[in-house]
Amino acid sequence: MVRRTVHWVNSPVLMEAMLRYEKGLLPKSMKLWVEKLLDLNPKGSSPLFPGSSPHS
């Protein structure tokens, strides 16, 4: 399987995905995509947005 790299991401789509990630409302595949794209530690407790609580 050929590994693909992301060259660009639609900003409104990414922002919506980040908001839903924070709320724990993403399907597993999208959650993994956001974590990989933003190099997030799924066990981490830091919120993506200042003033918000981390997802559970």
Side-chain angles (χ1 to χ4, degrees):
M1 187 167 151
V2 176
R3 184 178 170 124
R4 296 183 187 182
T5 58
V6 176
H7 295 284
W8 63 272
V9 176
N10 185 317
S11 296
V13 170
L14 180 57
M15 287 301 296
E16 183 66 26
M18 290 169 61
L19 289 169
R20 290 183 186 195
Y21 180 89
E22 281 279 298
K23 295 177 182 178
L25 299 175
L26 287 178
K28 185 171 182 168
S29 60
M30 285 295 293
K31 181 178 181 269
L32 294 172
W33 176 75
V34 169
E35 289 171 352
K36 185 174 181 177
L37 182 69
L38 301 177
D39 196 25
L40 299 175
N41 178 358
K43 305 282 189 219
S45 60
S46 299
L48 295 177
F49 299 101
S52 67
S53 61
H55 70 285
S56 41

